[in-house]
Amino acid sequence: MMQNKDIKRLSLILLFAPFALWIILLILLPHIGMVILSLKEKVAPRVYQYSFANYLEFINEPIYWNTLLRTGSMSLLVTALALIIGFPIAYYIAKIAGPRSRGGLFLLCLIPLWVSDLIRAFGWILLLRETGVISNFLLWTGLVGAPVEFLYNDVAVIIGLTYTVILFMIVPLVSTLDGMDNSMIEAGYNLGGNGFTVLRRIIIPYAMPGIVAGCIVTFMLTAGSYLTPILLGGKNSSWFTEQIYNQFITRFNWEGGAAFGMLLLLFTSFVIWLGLKLSGQTLANTVAKS
């Protein structure tokens, strides 16, 4: 009997060992190193002391926290757009599409992930630039009299980011909606509810764990994005990840870059915590049901 328990315990340890190593080596230890590095202040060549100077630099420079707030607000906008666009798609895949067409629809959603962020960004550049497809089409139809530049503004950044992260909104929504019994929807209509009432009182509450999970993933990916805002927004991007890049690469200020990275993590974690509180969800419940 004891041998069977030992075998089960050993099997459990071996099963979770790769996951535990991944968490420790690639997530926990790097973040601990970032925290330690962010608390170091360079007082002389190769001489450091521990202080909050890097965080105070962020607080005392309005452009830094303005950029962080701007990144957060635009990330929330992208998350909202991904939810508005992705929810009908997810509902169609989960509740309306047939078994055969579901695979094809999922494949269409996966196509953007077949190429890197860089290739996707350059694809939008080919569409939106002054000599791009859209501008040339408008010239050909006579709707405009001169080439139009659609790049290097917030709209282009939002379009590119929404296109990039929308799949991560659709997948948890499909997973959640697929578990909903169709009889619940039929009962809503039989009790006199219209389409909007059924959506508000039955479908959305049931799909809330998937909505929250999708919003968390898309918000974190958007706020931490670098290539898409830089390439589509140009000098006007003002994305906080660019500030982090400048600290590390341009200024060779690794201590400041580590502090900015931790501030971005703390800020996004606070937004997620606030969103969970406002939605009445818990992280454990969201992960379990999505």
Side-chain angles (χ1 to χ4, degrees):
M1 188 69 177
M2 292 299 295
Q3 290 181 350
N4 290 335
K5 289 184 177 180
D6 293 338
I7 292 174
K8 290 181 179 179
R9 187 180 297 109
L10 179 60
S11 301
L12 187 63
I13 293 174
L14 293 176
L15 180 64
F16 282 96
F19 176 73
L21 287 175
W22 178 69
I23 293 292
I24 294 172
L25 296 178
L26 298 181
I27 297 179
L28 186 59
L29 291 181
H31 279 79
I32 292 175
M34 289 276 286
V35 171
I36 295 174
L37 185 61
S38 69
L39 294 174
K40 289 184 177 181
E41 179 187 6
K42 190 174 184 179
V43 295
R46 298 184 181 180
V47 178
Y48 299 89
Q49 66 180 17
Y50 288 98
S51 71
F52 291 97
N54 297 309
Y55 294 94
L56 293 175
E57 179 186 359
F58 169 84
I59 295 173
N60 294 328
E61 182 54 62
I63 190 174
Y64 291 148
W65 45 265
N66 282 337
T67 304
L68 179 59
L69 293 176
R70 185 176 185 274
T71 300
S73 61
M74 290 188 65
S75 298
L76 288 174
L77 177 59
V78 170
T79 302
L81 290 174
L83 176 60
I84 293 171
I85 299 172
F87 192 91
I89 298 174
Y91 184 83
Y92 183 86
I93 294 175
K95 292 299 173 186
I96 300 177
R100 292 184 178 180
S101 59
R102 284 187 184 183
L105 292 172
F106 256 120
L107 182 62
L108 289 176
C109 294
L110 287 171
I111 286 177
L113 295 183
W114 290 2
V115 296
S116 66
D117 288 344
L118 182 63
I119 301 300
R120 288 199 295 268
F122 274 113
W124 282 108
I125 291 174
L126 291 175
L127 289 174
L128 301 176
R129 66 181 180 178
E130 189 175 4
T131 57
V133 175
I134 297 178
S135 180
N136 286 332
F137 175 78
L138 294 175
L139 284 172
W140 178 73
T141 57
L143 294 176
V144 296
V148 181
E149 179 65 84
F150 293 101
L151 281 176
Y152 312 126
N153 54 60
D154 290 343
V155 175
V157 173
I158 290 172
I159 291 174
L161 287 173
T162 304
Y163 171 77
T164 300
V165 303
I166 192 170
L167 173 66
F168 299 96
M169 180 67 75
I170 293 175
V171 170
L173 283 173
V174 170
S175 177
T176 304
L177 290 170
D178 193 49
M180 182 173 64
D181 194 342
N182 291 334
S183 61
M184 297 174 62
I185 302 175
E186 295 175 1
Y189 284 110
N190 292 335
L191 292 173
N194 54 28
F196 178 75
T197 303
V198 171
L199 175 67
R200 182 174 61 89
R201 300 291 297 273
I202 298 176
I203 299 175
I204 291 181
Y206 189 92
M208 188 57 68
I211 293 173
V212 174
C215 288
I216 289 174
V217 175
T218 54
F219 175 77
M220 294 295 288
L221 289 175
T222 304
S225 180
Y226 175 74
L227 280 177
T228 301
I230 296 302
L231 293 177
L232 299 185
K235 296 180 180 179
N236 300 321
S237 63
S238 298
W239 212 256
F240 194 69
T241 49
E242 184 181 4
Q243 300 288 351
I244 298 175
Y245 177 87
N246 290 335
Q247 292 291 329
F248 276 111
I249 306 302
T250 305
R251 298 179 58 184
F252 298 101
N253 183 12
W254 283 56
E255 296 78 22
F260 282 23
M262 294 308 302
L263 286 167
L264 178 61
L265 176 61
L266 291 174
F267 175 76
T268 52
S269 299
F270 171 76
V271 172
I272 290 172
W273 173 83
L274 184 62
L276 289 172
K277 289 295 182 181
L278 294 176
S279 63
Q281 299 290 314
T282 62
L283 189 60
N285 182 60
T286 298
V287 173
K289 291 186 178 183
S290 61

